[in-house]
Amino acid sequence: MSGSIERTGPSGQAGQPGRPGQPGQPGRAGRSGRGERVADWADGRLGIHTLAKSNMRKVFPDHWSFMFGEICLYSFLILILTGTYLTLFFEPSMAEVTYDGPYVPLKGLQVSRAFESTLEISLEVRGGLLIRQIHHWSALVFVAGMMVHMMRVFFTGAFRKPREINWLFGWTLLMLAIITGLTGYSLPDDLLSGTGVRFAHGAILSIPVVGTYLAFFLFGGEFPGEDIVARFYPIHILLLPGIMLGLVVAHLILVFYHKHTQFGGPGKTEKNVVGAPFLPVYIAKAGGFFFLVFGVLAIMGAVASINPVWAIGPYRPDTVSTGAQPDWYLGFSEGLIRVMPAWEINIWGHTLALGVFIPFALFPLIMMAIAVYPFVEAWVTGDKREHHIADRPRNTPVRTGFGVAWLTLYFVLLIGGGNDVVATHFHLSINAITWFVRIAFFVAPVLAFVITHRICLGLQHRDREKVLHGRETGTIKRLPHGEYVEIHEPLPQEELYRLTAHEQPQPYEIGPLVDANGVVRKVPRSARVRSRLSRAMYGPKAQVPKATAEEYLAIQRGEGDHH
């Protein structure tokens, strides 16, 4: 698709056109340029030419939804750049000092050195507040981009073989990003972040038997201790980003090796890729998009204030700020704890705080279910083939229903995590909101699944009708016997292929339970479970049979029901 033509001459022959500086060739008196000599030297030792020749012309498919992954990558790079700048001025110490900076309302207050250095970055360092806000906005966009990117991968089935490992890489990046966000969010030691750390401390204490020991080890003593910021700092700027950077590189290597999945269409199969070459088309678009993302984040950091620590004030263990909300990606876990009843069990003189421990354990369990889903689906289908064609979400109603149900659960718990803000802004009872979230936690995902499943089946029916009868034109025709019918325009071949190219897997069957001799077969329980799940995902009620070529030709010949 690049339109370039590579020409080569016989190797080892002098005087052949194409390379200056060889004997017998006009140019620079037989001398090669310095840049060419450096390139030859590097190529002879690193094999750069061979590597570039085989990889720089790789073809990548193009679709607007692929930009979500690029947003993740670029916001991560911006996080590293802005975070490096901030480390030059931030001091991760909880030593108490008396504030004597330019912000008059806080003059004379006892604050931690971490809080004071955050104020210095925001109010005294040239460009400090802008960089700090770009850093914070980049973190929010990074996690949001990963969420949307993973949902795109999930809904289109792009996690199937051979991309299961890349799905786990992305999932691990999401979990590490959440933890990194929590540690970075806590570094300024302001009242809002301190409340979040207090929340995490209480969740750790709820772990049976070892919770107290873990809390003492992490905080260096009784809460809030004197070491938590100093311990979070290297974790936030070194350990977690280093692991994430390695995962990003591994993720990109696998993406480069497997390429993106591509949506079905004419000329697109499981064995080819239709798109643009990496160099120069793809890399040029990627470079422009990087600066676009950077520009948008810079504008957000310049005009939208986020986490104004000078207005919030320093952290005090006996104070909680009004409307204390975590960053949105932690609202899911906080919503679980806020709406959970305050259940406790006393066993042998020990109190088990179920009201905190159950939600604290439920969050990683839900996330773990997302991590293993590709392997569960592969087991249910028994499909061991490689898949490079992306599914349309409507053609996999059960999977799409699961995805929408999870998103619904997330947003319900997000309401629970901000129940005080919702109550004050909409003048509602906080108790009513809490009970709504408790009920919706069980009801809303089920309703979302059922509704999404029905919508997908309806869209499949519409696709089938469009294939067989064509597109409605709005033109009404009267037949000789007086009947009025609407004229339908046949779809172009490209559209017909797009609507019918998808596969419809058949459910796994365990076969008859009794053989020809009347002997009852021993069927493992796992096979029975697999058969039930397979029928639920791919049975007659889970998909509409797509139009076949025979049905289409019969309609065209006037042998079937037609308009």
Side-chain angles (χ1 to χ4, degrees):
M1 293 185 62
S2 63
S4 61
I5 301 176
E6 186 177 282
R7 297 183 176 90
T8 57
S11 60
Q13 296 183 10
Q16 294 294 331
R19 181 158 182 167
Q22 292 181 345
Q25 177 181 327
R28 291 174 294 191
R31 296 182 59 189
S32 59
R34 180 180 299 176
E36 186 176 357
R37 293 198 301 271
V38 172
D40 287 340
W41 182 89
D43 183 50
R45 291 154 180 81
L46 303 176
I48 296 176
H49 173 72
T50 303
L51 181 66
K53 185 177 180 180
S54 61
N55 292 294
M56 291 297 101
R57 301 297 294 174
K58 277 185 176 289
V59 174
F60 284 81
D62 195 13
H63 192 267
W64 63 267
S65 62
F66 297 159
M67 291 192 301
F68 295 126
E70 295 183 41
I71 291 174
C72 299
L73 174 62
Y74 303 149
S75 56
F76 181 68
L77 295 177
I78 295 167
L79 275 171
I80 293 177
L81 293 174
T82 54
T84 301
Y85 181 83
L86 294 175
T87 57
L88 302 176
F89 306 99
F90 181 74
E91 186 173 335
S93 171
M94 295 186 70
E96 287 195 352
V97 297
T98 301
Y99 181 72
D100 192 29
Y103 190 66
V104 176
L106 294 180
K107 275 186 175 293
L109 284 182
Q110 292 291 315
V111 299
S112 67
R113 178 60 188 138
F115 181 80
E116 184 183 46
S117 64
T118 304
L119 288 179
E120 290 174 355
I121 292 172
S122 303
L123 304 177
E124 299 180 60
V125 174
R126 186 180 298 273
L129 180 59
L130 176 62
I131 298 298
R132 181 172 162 263
Q133 297 210 141
I134 292 176
H135 186 75
H136 202 145
W137 277 118
S138 298
L140 298 181
V141 171
F142 176 53
V143 182
M146 276 199 293
M147 289 275 290
V148 178
H149 177 60
M150 289 190 71
M151 286 296 99
R152 197 275 304 173
V153 171
F154 180 84
F155 284 123
T156 61
F159 54 76
R160 294 173 295 175
K161 184 182 177 180
R163 296 176 177 83
E164 304 98 328
I165 301 300
N166 233 4
W167 172 265
L168 292 180
F169 283 168
W171 180 88
T172 307
L173 277 169
L174 178 61
M175 294 297 293
L176 291 178
I178 292 175
I179 299 173
T180 306
L182 174 63
T183 55
Y185 171 84
S186 306
L187 290 180
D189 197 33
D190 60 287
L191 186 56
L192 187 61
S193 66
T195 304
V197 175
R198 180 62 164 170
F199 173 87
H201 178 262
I204 296 172
L205 285 177
S206 70
I207 301 175
V209 183
V210 298
T212 304
Y213 300 99
L214 288 176
F216 266 69
F217 172 77
L218 181 62
F219 287 86
E222 290 283 355
F223 181 85
E226 297 181 354
D227 301 328
I228 190 63
V229 171
R231 292 182 178 185
F232 274 179
Y233 186 67
I235 294 174
H236 178 73
I237 70 166
L238 185 63
L239 178 62
L240 294 179
I243 298 174
M244 292 173 67
L245 184 60
L247 287 173
V248 166
V249 172
H251 184 80
L252 291 176
I253 290 174
L254 288 180
V255 169
F256 198 85
Y257 177 71
H258 297 306
K259 302 183 182 66
H260 275 294
T261 53
Q262 57 185 355
F263 288 94
K268 299 179 181 179
T269 68
E270 297 283 4
K271 297 182 179 180
N272 73 340
V273 178
V274 178
F278 182 73
L279 188 71
V281 178
Y282 192 84
I283 198 169
K285 292 172 63 177
F289 194 49
F290 168 78
F291 289 107
L292 179 62
V293 173
F294 205 155
V296 170
L297 289 173
I299 293 173
M300 294 170 65
V303 303
S305 178
I306 186 170
N307 197 20
V309 294
W310 56 89
I312 299 172
Y315 177 65
R316 288 181 50 182
D318 60 340
T319 306
V320 176
S321 61
T322 302
Q325 306 298 315
D327 284 335
W328 69 268
Y329 49 84
L330 291 172
F332 180 89
S333 58
E334 180 151 340
L336 280 168
I337 293 182
R338 285 197 184 192
V339 302
M340 180 71 185
W343 294 345
E344 292 184 355
I345 297 179
N346 294 309
I347 303 177
W348 300 314
H350 298 277
T351 300
L352 183 59
L354 296 179
V356 178
F357 176 68
I358 291 178
F360 185 58
L362 194 59
F363 174 73
L365 288 177
I366 294 174
M367 297 301 294
M368 188 61 66
I370 297 174
V372 302
Y373 181 86
F375 303 95
V376 173
E377 183 174 302
W379 174 72
V380 171
T381 60
D383 189 358
K384 301 183 184 299
R385 299 170 302 164
E386 290 192 359
H387 292 273
H388 303 288
I389 299 295
D391 291 328
R392 299 176 74 201
R394 67 184 63 183
N395 293 329
T396 55
V398 175
R399 182 202 297 155
T400 303
F402 282 145
V404 175
W406 184 87
L407 290 175
T408 303
L409 176 64
Y410 182 88
F411 285 112
V412 165
L413 292 174
L414 201 60
I415 295 174
N419 55 3
D420 50 348
V421 173
V422 174
T424 56
H425 280 66
F426 294 96
H427 307 289
L428 299 172
S429 167
I430 193 170
N431 292 327
I433 297 173
T434 301
W435 274 105
F436 165 78
V437 174
R438 288 175 178 175
I439 296 171
F441 176 84
F442 299 99
V443 176
V446 176
L447 288 177
F449 176 86
V450 172
I451 293 172
T452 302
H453 191 272
R454 296 283 297 178
I455 291 174
C456 288
L457 291 179
L459 292 173
Q460 287 187 38
H461 276 292
R462 190 183 70 171
D463 287 347
R464 177 181 170 84
E465 290 297 316
K466 286 173 65 176
V467 170
L468 294 178
H469 303 296
R471 185 180 291 107
E472 297 177 353
T473 63
T475 302
I476 305 299
K477 179 180 179 180
R478 183 180 181 183
L479 300 179
H481 59 277
E483 180 185 0
Y484 287 92
V485 296
E486 183 181 15
I487 302 300
H488 284 225
E489 177 187 1
L491 297 181
Q493 289 297 318
E494 179 180 350
E495 184 73 3
L496 288 174
Y497 182 86
R498 188 177 69 87
L499 296 179
T500 58
H502 62 281
E503 295 181 351
Q504 290 192 314
Q506 297 302 311
Y508 169 75
E509 299 291 345
I510 59 177
L513 299 179
V514 180
D515 62 19
N517 298 320
V519 179
V520 178
R521 293 174 53 218
K522 291 184 178 180
V523 180
R525 179 169 298 182
S526 60
R528 295 176 184 269
V529 172
R530 178 184 172 189
S531 178
R532 293 192 185 98
L533 292 175
S534 184
R535 283 198 302 270
M537 294 185 68
Y538 303 111
K541 295 183 179 180
Q543 55 187 357
V544 176
K546 63 180 182 180
T548 63
E550 292 76 12
E551 291 175 316
Y552 177 77
L553 294 176
I555 291 293
Q556 298 302 310
R557 292 193 299 264
E559 298 175 0
D561 179 27
H562 66 285
H563 300 290

